[in-house]
Amino acid sequence: MNPVQMIQSLFQNVNSQKASVVSLKSGQLLYGKVEKFLPNDSAIIRMGDMRFLATLKAELSAENSYLFEVRSSGKDGLELKVVEGMRQEAVLLSKNLPITKEQLQKASTWMNIQGDSTKEHRALEWMINRGLPFTKSTFQSLVAVQDSQSFYRQLEEFRSQLDSPSIATLKTVQQLKELTSSILTNHSLGDIDSADEVKQLLKQLVQALGLNYENEVVSQPNDKKASGVDQLQSLKQLLLTAMTELGSKGKSFEHLLNRLTGMQLISQDLSGPMQQIVMQLPLAFGEMKSDITLQWSGRKTSNGQIDPDYCRILFYLDLRSLNQTVVDMQVQNRVIHLSVMNDSKEFESIIKFHTPTLKENLESIGYTLSFINVNPSIVIRNQEQQQINPVNVFMESNQRVDKRI
C-alpha cells in the first residue's frame, strides 16, 4: 500500500457511513463502452465497474466507447442516445459523473483538458456529488483549495504583494497588511501549555481567516450590519472589499480568496447524522513555519455540533525534525485510540517518553488514552516526489459513492 492509499484508508469507515445512491435521470450523460449487442435494439453497456442493459437505436461497434445521453429511465428501462461532436469533452466523464449536457458544456470551458486535469476533475466531481452551485466561482474555489503550495507560504507571498506602490496607500490594503502579518506572526504553538490554549488559538485563527465569515454576518445584529461595525475583522472580508476597491488591480488576490472559499466548501454540513470539517491552517512551531491540516468527523449533537465523545480527528503535520507526520485520533465514549504515522527511526521512543504525560493531561479533561499505535514509512509524496496537499487526499477519499442504476 502506497502512502496516499494509507491516508485514504483512514477515511474508509466514515465513507461507508455516508454512501449515497446516484440514479441516472433523463438528460444526464455517461461515457461507456458497448460490451455486447442483444436482440430488440438492446445492448449491455459498461460504465466503469458497472454493467447495465439499455435500449440503444444506433449503428455502433462493440468494445468501442461512446458518449451517451439518457433519453428515459423508468419502468420501461433505460433508453440511451449517442451524442455526437463532444468527443473531447467526454474526457471529463472518465469517472462517470452524473452530469447533464449543459453542465458538461460549461465544465469544458473551465477545465484544462489538454493538460493534467486531476484537480479540476476532482473539483467538478465534488460539485456534482454534493449538489453545490454549478458556477465557475465554485469550481475555481475547489481547485484552489487543492494547491500544492503551503498555505503559510502563500500568505507570505501575498503579504509581500501588498507592498506594491500602486496599492500600498489604500486603507483596506493597509488593514490587510496588518491582519496578514498578525496571522503569520501571532499564531504559534511554541508557547502553549494547555488544551484550552490550543483551542483558543485555533478559534482565533479561524476567525481571522474568515472561515466562518458568512455565518457571522448572518448572525450579526442588524444595527451592527447597518453601521458596518465589526465587519472588517477577517482576511476574507478584507479581500472582498479590497478587490472591489482595486478593480483589475485586485485580480491577483483572487486565488487566495478562492482558497479560503474552497476550505469552506469542503467543510459544508452534509445531510444526515454525520458531519465533517476540514481546515488547513498556517501555524508556527518555534522557527518552523508550516501548515497544520485537521479533519474532524463524527456524529452530530442535538445542536448540530460534532459530538466530542464520539468522533475522529486527523492531523497532518510537516515538521522540521520529524518531517511528515499523520496522527489519527478516534474517540469512542471519551476513550481515545491513537495511530501515529511517521518514518523517523527515533519516533517510537519519543512517543513512549511522552505517553505518561499525555495520559495524565487527557485524564485531567475527562478522556482516557487506550493505546498509541506507531506506524513507520509514511512519507506522503507522489511518484514524482512532489508535495501532496492533504486536502487532495481528503477530497479523493470522500468521492466514493455507491452508484446504483
Side-chain angles (χ1 to χ4, degrees), residues 320-334:
R320 174 177 294 177
S321 300
L322 298 177
N323 300 317
Q324 296 172 65
T325 303
V326 176
V327 181
D328 180 25
M329 184 176 81
Q330 299 186 58
V331 183
Q332 295 289 330
N333 197 25
R334 300 187 77 84

Side-chain angles (χ1 to χ4, degrees), residues 22 24-31 67-70 89 92-93 96-108 111 124-125 128 134:
V22 177
L24 290 178
K25 300 176 182 179
S26 179
Q28 288 182 333
L29 304 178
L30 61 93
Y31 191 60
L67 182 62
F68 299 102
E69 180 180 359
V70 178
E89 289 90 334
L92 303 179
L93 295 171
N96 311 311
L97 301 180
I99 194 170
T100 67
K101 186 185 296 185
E102 291 74 18
Q103 288 175 327
L104 180 58
Q105 289 171 337
K106 284 185 179 180
S108 65
M111 295 180 68
L124 184 63
E125 190 173 4
I128 293 172
F134 204 82

Side-chain angles (χ1 to χ4, degrees), residues 81-305:
K81 174 187 175 182
V82 177
V83 179
E84 303 290 348
M86 297 183 69
R87 297 294 296 176
Q88 188 179 35
E89 289 90 334
V91 175
L92 303 179
L93 295 171
S94 59
K95 292 186 179 179
N96 311 311
L97 301 180
I99 194 170
T100 67
K101 186 185 296 185
E102 291 74 18
Q103 288 175 327
L104 180 58
Q105 289 171 337
K106 284 185 179 180
S108 65
T109 66
W110 303 338
M111 295 180 68
N112 179 19
I113 298 177
Q114 301 301 328
D116 181 5
S117 60
T118 303
K119 293 178 184 177
E120 288 87 351
H121 197 291
R122 191 183 290 124
L124 184 63
E125 190 173 4
W126 191 274
M127 291 167 63
I128 293 172
N129 288 339
R130 281 154 181 78
L132 296 179
F134 204 82
T135 63
K136 187 175 182 179
S137 60
T138 301
F139 174 78
Q140 289 175 328
S141 296
L142 290 172
V143 172
V145 78
Q146 302 174 65
D147 199 326
S148 58
Q149 183 186 36
S150 160
F151 189 33
Y152 198 106
R153 180 59 181 159
Q154 185 178 7
L155 286 174
E156 286 184 320
E157 292 181 357
F158 172 70
R159 172 61 183 80
S160 298
Q161 259 185 280
L162 299 176
D163 290 326
S164 172
S166 62
I167 63 172
T169 57
L170 187 70
K171 181 180 178 181
T172 306
V173 171
Q174 292 174 348
Q175 292 175 307
L176 271 172
K177 288 166 65 174
E178 293 175 4
L179 181 57
T180 306
S181 297
S182 174
I183 291 172
L184 292 172
T185 59
N186 295 339
H187 295 87
S188 172
L189 295 175
D191 301 321
I192 290 181
D193 299 319
S194 69
D196 285 339
E197 290 179 345
V198 173
K199 178 181 177 181
Q200 188 62 28
L201 173 70
L202 296 180
K203 184 177 180 181
Q204 291 173 352
L205 186 52
V206 168
Q207 183 179 20
L209 292 171
L211 298 181
N212 290 330
Y213 165 66
E214 285 78 4
N215 291 336
E216 291 172 354
V217 170
V218 171
S219 61
Q220 195 173 52
N222 288 329
D223 57 342
K224 287 189 176 182
K225 291 179 186 178
S227 64
V229 176
D230 294 331
Q231 284 292 295
L232 299 180
Q233 292 187 337
S234 73
L235 180 63
K236 180 166 185 178
Q237 174 59 9
L238 284 170
L239 279 170
L240 288 167
T241 304
M243 290 174 67
T244 300
E245 294 177 355
L246 290 169
S248 60
K249 291 182 180 179
K251 186 71 174 177
S252 60
F253 297 175
E254 189 174 45
H255 187 68
L256 178 57
L257 177 65
N258 285 338
R259 189 164 185 170
L260 291 169
T261 302
M263 278 190 252
Q264 294 174 291
L265 289 173
I266 64 173
S267 294
Q268 278 197 347
D269 191 11
L270 303 176
S271 60
M274 303 301 293
Q275 182 175 355
Q276 297 199 68
I277 300 173
V278 180
M279 291 183 182
Q280 192 168 53
L281 306 174
L283 283 170
F285 301 83
E287 296 296 320
M288 180 67 178
K289 301 174 182 179
S290 185
D291 299 339
I292 176 172
T293 303
L294 306 94
Q295 183 209 351
W296 290 266
S297 58
R299 69 185 191 186
K300 299 177 189 175
T301 60
S302 57
N303 63 359
Q305 303 298 312

